[in-house]
Amino acid sequence: MRTALARIVAAVAVTCLSTVGCADDSFRDTEPAAGAPTSDFYTADGETLPGARGSVIRTRSLPDAVLGARTELILYRSIDAHGATVAVSGTVSVPPGTPPVGGWPLISFAPGTNGVADVCAPSRADGASPTRDELARWVAAGYAVARTDYQGLGTPGGHGYLIGETEQRAVADIVVAAREVNRDIGARWVAMGHSQGGHAALFAASASGGWAPAVDLLGAVALAPASHLAEQVRMAKWAVSNPLGSVGTGGLAVYLPMLVRGAQTVTELDPARFLTERAVSMLPLADTDCAAALSESGKWGGLSVKDVLERDGDLSGLLRVLDDNDPSGLSFTEPVLVLQGRDDHTVPLKSTDAMVAQQQMRGQSVDYRKYDGVDHSEIIAASFTDALGWVDTRFGITR
């Protein structure tokens, strides 16, 4: 079993680098979100910031944000990687009408990659998954849905891109905040997420029972969750020293500026130690542009790993952060459902195969389902019926 697993893990990076992919085919051009306020809403001063994690700082109604729902934009408190209280934004959408006994069942839906710049926050700029239509589908099924913007995305401070601990805190703390905003929301919830959000949902499943004991986590749904990024970066570094033609072009390079910025929220990291001068000069684009713009051919999307990584660069600091935040080694106290498209070139099938194999080998309760002919952006719609049935079962809902 361990030998077979090692072969799967080794194939992960090769799969990523040998496709024209690993570039996110779900990146959408961003535009202002419906009813999005000015940036002033997203800032808490020294007088309003202190408070318990999960408590609400301010709210604003977004009447047209999600069809068929009462939606509030909220600013709530969480704790960053260094133990400081920070403001986090997000939205809470609730079905109309009378809630069931015990309150509306709640999904904390963590969004996919949209960038690390403040303008890329899902509540400020449409483009990240889940979309408003995808949120509306869950509301129509009778669920309240909270969607965090994550720490430092829209709000002051750096965004901990793919930093599992701060992701899960944002995902769990918005559950507590949602119940303060709307008393009709119940205390039971499920973590859910796509891509980056799938990564966040897995960390929530591993940690949120202890982080948010006042609410009852029933399980997690991870759609095409990011994993094994360190292996992909290691393989990219190998490719720099052992050229493989156009391997890596338009792929992993797009994610590197976001990975660097995420790692810098938890450790001292000097990009000049491993990035080329050209890449270092382009790194500030991550602070202003969303993922769709970064992936353009005139920006990071036009670079190969040879354009980005120094042949003799020291990647140890970045790799340590990526290894520490890989979900493959997580343990869960509640059930987990992983959903993956077989034609996904952003989060390769073999990457998720390896992650689930590692988790199941340690006896974790992980239900894994794959979908033929489905790519990264299509997995949310393709798996909705299965996800709904699984989540209904967690809440004891019969249709």
Side-chain angles (χ1 to χ4, degrees):
M1 177 64 179
R2 292 184 183 277
T3 300
L5 182 57
R7 289 172 179 167
I8 294 174
V9 173
V12 168
V14 175
T15 300
C16 183
L17 289 169
S18 62
T19 64
V20 183
C22 295
D24 196 326
D25 50 19
S26 72
F27 288 162
R28 306 176 179 94
D29 290 332
T30 57
E31 58 184 30
T38 64
S39 59
D40 291 345
F41 178 92
Y42 295 83
T43 302
D45 58 30
E47 294 183 0
T48 58
L49 185 56
R53 66 177 190 250
S55 58
V56 175
I57 299 171
R58 65 177 67 101
T59 66
R60 174 177 169 174
S61 178
L62 298 177
D64 300 320
V66 177
L67 183 65
R70 296 169 289 162
T71 298
E72 297 284 334
L73 175 69
I74 70 171
L75 192 69
Y76 64 100
R77 298 174 179 89
S78 191
I79 306 295
D80 71 9
H82 307 287
T85 300
V86 291
V88 184
S89 54
T91 58
V92 178
S93 300
V94 180
T98 303
V101 175
W104 293 112
L106 177 66
I107 294 170
S108 185
F109 208 137
T113 298
N114 202 38
V116 298
D118 284 344
V119 295
C120 310
S123 69
R124 294 179 65 174
D126 290 330
S129 58
T131 65
R132 283 177 284 169
D133 289 344
E134 289 159 351
L135 293 175
R137 198 171 186 185
W138 283 98
V139 170
Y143 286 92
V145 184
R147 184 181 67 175
T148 183
D149 286 335
Y150 298 122
Q151 295 185 13
L153 193 52
T155 50
H159 170 45
Y161 181 64
L162 293 175
I163 303 300
E165 183 59 28
T166 53
E167 284 179 339
Q168 77 84 13
R169 292 176 182 181
V171 168
D173 287 336
I174 199 173
V175 174
V176 179
R179 300 191 69 230
E180 181 180 337
V181 170
N182 191 311
R183 300 295 184 182
D184 288 338
I185 295 175
R188 299 188 301 163
W189 66 290
V190 162
M192 185 179 296
H194 172 236
S195 195
Q196 177 188 2
H199 179 273
L202 292 172
F203 275 87
S206 179
S208 289
W211 183 256
V215 288
D216 186 11
L217 177 66
L218 304 182
V221 180
L223 299 103
S227 71
H228 293 99
L229 290 170
E231 281 81 359
Q232 294 177 27
V233 172
R234 288 185 177 98
M235 190 62 183
K237 178 66 182 302
W238 178 85
V240 171
S241 301
N242 301 271
L244 299 176
S246 61
V247 164
T249 300
L252 185 63
V254 175
Y255 290 90
L256 276 172
M258 295 184 282
L259 292 172
V260 168
R261 288 300 192 234
Q264 287 177 323
T265 66
V266 294
T267 191
E268 294 288 336
L269 191 69
D270 180 6
R273 297 188 65 181
F274 55 88
L275 295 182
T276 63
E277 289 186 11
R278 182 181 181 185
V280 170
S281 71
M282 294 175 64
L283 192 56
L285 288 174
D287 304 323
T288 58
D289 290 5
C290 298
L294 289 175
S295 66
E296 293 172 358
S297 60
K299 298 180 180 178
W300 284 84
L303 303 179
S304 73
V305 293
K306 292 179 289 183
D307 299 319
V308 172
L309 294 177
E310 284 284 4
R311 181 171 182 172
D312 298 320
D314 179 9
L315 277 164
S316 59
L318 177 62
L319 291 173
R320 184 164 50 250
V321 172
L322 296 180
D323 282 331
D324 288 346
N325 289 278
D326 189 276
S328 303
L330 295 177
S331 298
F332 311 114
T333 58
E334 301 297 336
V336 168
L337 173 65
V338 176
L339 305 167
Q340 175 71 36
R342 293 184 183 274
D343 288 355
D344 190 333
H345 298 305
T346 302
V347 174
L349 174 66
K350 287 186 178 180
S351 177
T352 307
D353 283 348
M355 181 197 75
V356 173
Q358 288 171 271
Q359 293 165 346
Q360 291 178 337
M361 186 174 67
R362 299 192 319 277
Q364 302 302 302
S365 176
V366 180
D367 182 351
Y368 185 28
R369 307 182 192 183
K370 311 176 194 182
Y371 298 82
D372 293 334
V374 173
D375 67 19
H376 193 64
S377 62
E378 296 168 341
I379 187 61
I380 297 180
S383 65
F384 176 77
T385 299
D386 286 343
L388 176 62
W390 192 90
V391 173
D392 280 349
T393 298
R394 304 281 79 72
F395 283 98
I397 295 172
T398 303
R399 297 184 186 276

